[in-house]
């Protein structure tokens, strides 16, 4: 990892205020390892409280609406997230693409609206199992990327990509380290082709069943600059194992 490692917990639809104790413990873990950039994306309802409880880690959201505001019942704009204390937003997660039919075009407009108000963006891409079995993983992921990368002014700043094979999310299965490396290299090529030199500074995270016991080997793969972690970010104990692996230090 040549860029500062970025370890992001995605709490998905988990967490009530009782979970703030975990957020505080994760924040303390982050403080012990300042070489690692640690962040949490709790549900909307906990963003403000998590921001207030956590001193050092980043706090972000899991989605936003592309419009600045208006008649969109149940939706939340990027500006509202920033107002609640979010510093970044995840867009294009496969659960959003599948559960809500989100297209690449919509994902791009969400990313652009987030950048417009200064939020960092974690843009997710990933192939299905059938696409991987058909030998189309790289083609699918690169097509998603090209159609969903934000292109407005300042888009490349504070942008990260999360490569998350859909079949690896929440399943305990992970691609081979060779396959992860090949995909991250392909993503890097597209980023540089799109953004020029600045594309080399965009962090590419791996996501999908990252756990304390496989984090070190995954994070050591060339072009893996961090991890987007679901299940293992729900307790400070397991998330700490991943932060520690990213720090390159031994348990203290
Ligand atoms: P997982 O989820 O770590 O539980 O596989 C990752 C994600 O969906 O971001």
């Amino acid at each position: 990892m040549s860029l500062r490692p970025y370890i992001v917990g995605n709490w998905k639809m988990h967490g009530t205020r009782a979970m703030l104790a975990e957020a505080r413990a994760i924040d303390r873990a982050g403080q012990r390892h300042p070489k690692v950039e640690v962040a949490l994306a709790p549900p909307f309802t906990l963003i403000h409280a998590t921001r207030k409880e956590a001193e050092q880690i980043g706090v972000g959201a899991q989605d936003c609406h592309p419009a600045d505001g208006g008649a969109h019942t149940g939706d939340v704009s990027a500006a509202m997230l920033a107002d609640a204390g979010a510093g970044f937003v995840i867009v294009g997660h496969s659960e959003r693409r599948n559960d809500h039919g989100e297209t690449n075009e919509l994902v791009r407009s969400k990313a652009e609206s987030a950048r417009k108000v200064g939020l960092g963006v974690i843009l997710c891409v990933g192939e299905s199992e059938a696409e991987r079995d058909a030998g189309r993983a790289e083609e699918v992921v690169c097509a998603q990327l090209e159609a969903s990368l934000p292109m407005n002014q300042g888009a490349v700043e504070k942008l990260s990509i999360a490569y998350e094979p859909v079949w690896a999310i929440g399943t305990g299965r992970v691609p081979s380290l060779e396959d992860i490396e090949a995909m991250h290299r392909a993503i890097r090529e597209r980023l540089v082709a799109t953004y020029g030199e600045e594309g080399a500074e965009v962090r590419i995270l791996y996501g999908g069943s990252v756990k304390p016991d496989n984090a070190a080997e995954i994070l050591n793969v060339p072009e893996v600059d961090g991890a987007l972690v679901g299940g293992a970010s729900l307790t400070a104990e397991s998330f700490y194992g991943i932060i520690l692996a990213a720090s390159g230090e031994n348990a203290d």
Side-chain angles (χ1 to χ4, degrees):
M1 288 178 289
S2 53
L3 304 171
R4 186 179 177 214
Y6 193 24
I7 304 296
V8 184
N10 171 13
W11 278 6
K12 310 192 178 187
M13 201 169 70
H14 299 289
T16 58
R17 283 178 297 158
M19 286 266 293
L20 291 173
E22 294 300 326
R24 278 194 297 275
I26 289 168
D27 187 53
R28 287 195 295 277
Q31 289 180 30
R32 285 204 292 280
H33 296 284
K35 279 190 229 144
V36 181
E37 186 172 345
V38 178
L40 273 185
F44 288 137
T45 49
L46 290 181
I47 290 172
H48 187 57
T50 306
R51 181 63 284 157
K52 278 172 54 181
E53 297 281 339
E55 288 174 16
Q56 197 241 0
I57 60 169
V59 178
Q62 301 167 18
D63 180 44
C64 67
H65 192 278
D68 295 340
H72 302 288
T73 302
D75 280 311
V76 177
S77 74
M80 289 168 178
L81 296 177
D83 180 60
F88 70 94
V89 60
I90 298 169
V91 296
H93 191 284
S94 60
E95 287 153 14
R96 302 272 337 155
R97 291 178 187 262
N98 293 332
D99 295 357
H100 300 271
E102 292 195 4
T103 61
N104 290 322
E105 292 67 31
L106 179 63
V107 172
R108 167 177 282 163
S109 60
K110 289 180 178 207
E112 291 180 347
S113 73
R115 287 303 303 123
K116 209 168 81 183
V117 299
L119 292 181
V121 167
I122 300 176
L123 170 65
C124 302
V125 289
E127 82 285 359
S128 67
E129 183 157 34
E131 288 161 345
R132 172 142 306 258
D133 289 347
R136 297 183 52 232
E138 207 171 294
E139 172 200 330
V140 166
V141 166
C142 290
Q144 278 179 357
L145 200 64
E146 276 166 11
S148 52
L149 282 171
M151 297 305 293
N152 55 340
Q153 204 188 347
V156 67
E157 290 159 38
K158 296 204 225 169
L159 173 68
S160 305
I161 306 301
Y163 166 54
E164 300 203 305
V166 178
W167 52 273
I169 294 176
T171 59
R173 296 165 59 205
V174 290
S176 69
L177 300 180
E178 292 73 25
D179 284 346
I180 295 175
E181 178 174 349
M183 188 64 83
H184 281 231
R185 286 193 189 286
I187 292 171
R188 177 68 67 205
E189 268 177 37
R190 292 306 187 289
L191 290 170
V192 171
T194 306
Y195 298 121
E197 274 175 27
E198 284 179 293
E201 303 296 314
V202 173
R203 286 180 291 195
I204 308 174
L205 318 181
Y206 169 78
S209 296
V210 177
K211 307 286 176 208
D213 59 358
N214 65 12
E217 59 176 16
I218 292 173
L219 291 167
N220 276 326
V221 170
E223 295 288 4
V224 172
D225 306 308
L228 183 56
V229 184
S233 71
L234 292 172
T235 67
E237 191 187 357
S238 56
F239 201 38
Y240 182 62
I242 297 169
I243 295 168
L244 193 62
S247 78
E249 294 167 31
N250 295 321
D252 47 23

